[in-house]
Amino acid sequence: MKTKYINIFFFSASIALCMFSSCSKKEGALDRKQRIDFVSAVENHYENNALTYVIDNYTAEDWHWDDKKMYRIDYGGDHQYSENFFFDNHNRILRTTIPAYNISNKFFYDGRQLERIEVFYKDEHYSTMSFVHDGKELTEIECSYLSDIEPDNPILAKKSSPLSLLFGNKVGELFSNTYCKTVRNGKSNASVHYSLLWNEDNVTTIVYNDGENTYNIEVTYDDKRNPYNQLYGFREFSDPIFGFKMLSENNVTSIRMPYDGKNQTFTYSYEYDGDYPSKRTLSYSYKSVNFYTLDSVMYKYEKAETFNYLD
């Protein structure tokens, strides 16, 4: 009889704990059901529908595993480097390092939820990303600079943004520098705030505010599994287009962002082998002026990525 009451007590306690924590999902824990082996990519550049430049097949990502534990990703393409991952006993990211650029990132959790990420550059505390939750959902991200140091490497410097080259510094600084690199102006204590709106398990609206400007980012998804879910790596956060793909359960199909009074659309299409993507193609177009002829032209960019998984 005593055993029965004990079991009831623990069951009730578990229900209460679940209610108290809103049964939030475990953040910072990678999806290990389908392990990426490597990702190959091809990039095509067009001018008025004519193919003008090709970056042929290359290894964009090479994932390294020790059984079910991923410990390093080697990145190809622009700014090649490796990011090392360290996990706690709950399979959550505890720390990452990028030795080539003297960057390290420390993760702190409050129960199942990510509380903050502290970014260190050359062993100096460079910036902090703070995560605010409302019950089970992540509702706000605050990026704060804690150092006056000016980075002298391309993955922290603003000039590293591919979008800066395409659209100018405004959009390059706004959307490529998610990892606490935006609107700093050489000063410490600057901050950038993101508000997140969800539709079930996906972030569909992000409101950006730097104290002077406010922008909305609108995102749509498919219903398939996102292999990058909970991958809070430096490279993912620093994606030149959208650094929040890891927050959502499903795969992004479109992103709409304001630029120069207009909405710029980025489109992703997929091929699948089961629930996970076997191929992902990013495409976007924009009007600009040809540097040599000064004619108005339409540029288009496509990046096709092929996913290879371990058995």
Side-chain angles (χ1 to χ4, degrees), residues 63-211:
W63 294 48
H64 299 267
W65 299 80
D66 180 7
D67 192 17
K68 292 288 186 178
K69 291 187 177 181
M70 188 270 286
Y71 62 89
R72 191 177 81 242
I73 302 178
D74 300 329
Y75 293 101
D78 292 335
H79 310 311
Q80 299 180 19
Y81 61 84
S82 297
E83 184 167 10
N84 301 306
F85 290 80
F86 304 86
F87 297 84
D88 63 16
N89 293 331
H90 302 286
N91 188 41
R92 300 179 304 187
I93 300 174
L94 193 61
R95 181 169 59 95
T96 78
T97 63
I98 304 175
Y101 292 113
N102 296 305
I103 297 172
S104 62
N105 311 285
K106 294 182 179 180
F107 292 67
F108 298 84
Y109 296 90
D110 182 6
R112 298 171 62 87
Q113 296 174 334
L114 183 60
E115 182 180 64
R116 71 185 188 277
I117 301 174
E118 296 182 354
V119 182
F120 293 82
Y121 177 60
K122 293 184 177 180
D123 296 324
E124 181 173 345
H125 193 177
Y126 176 72
S127 60
T128 295
M129 295 185 70
S130 301
F131 299 82
V132 178
H133 297 79
D134 180 8
K136 67 177 182 178
E137 290 184 344
L138 172 61
T139 57
E140 299 175 58
I141 300 176
E142 184 83 18
C143 296
S144 302
Y145 297 103
L146 305 174
S147 170
D148 292 327
I149 188 171
E150 286 296 336
D152 57 1
N153 70 66
I155 64 173
L156 277 179
K158 294 177 180 179
K159 64 182 180 181
S160 67
S161 165
L163 289 188
S164 297
L165 301 178
L166 297 178
F167 299 119
N169 288 330
K170 180 179 177 182
V171 74
E173 293 179 7
L174 176 58
F175 297 119
S176 72
N177 295 325
T178 308
Y179 222 116
C180 289
K181 302 195 294 282
T182 315
V183 192
R184 184 181 177 204
N185 298 324
K187 300 178 180 178
S188 61
N189 301 319
S191 64
V192 180
H193 182 270
Y194 301 90
S195 298
L196 312 179
L197 300 179
W198 294 74
N199 180 8
E200 296 183 349
D201 293 320
N202 297 316
V203 177
T204 54
T205 301
I206 297 177
V207 182
Y208 163 98
N209 183 277
D210 59 26

Side-chain angles (χ1 to χ4, degrees), residues 8 34 58 72-73 107 114 155 170 180 197 216 221 233 264-265 271 273 275 308:
I8 291 174
Q34 194 80 335
Y58 65 94
R72 191 177 81 242
I73 302 178
F107 292 67
L114 183 60
I155 64 173
K170 180 179 177 182
C180 289
L197 300 179
N216 282 15
Y221 300 84
Q264 174 67 38
T265 300
E271 296 177 12
D273 182 9
D275 291 331
N308 298 272

Side-chain angles (χ1 to χ4, degrees), residues 29-37 63 65 67-70 91 225-229 249 273 275-276 309-311:
L30 273 61
D31 184 348
R32 297 185 294 178
K33 293 180 180 179
Q34 194 80 335
R35 293 173 297 156
I36 294 175
D37 186 8
W63 294 48
W65 299 80
D67 192 17
K68 292 288 186 178
K69 291 187 177 181
M70 188 270 286
N91 188 41
R225 294 185 67 90
N226 172 17
Y228 295 92
N229 184 32
E249 295 279 351
D273 182 9
D275 291 331
Y276 291 83
Y309 299 93
L310 295 172
D311 295 334

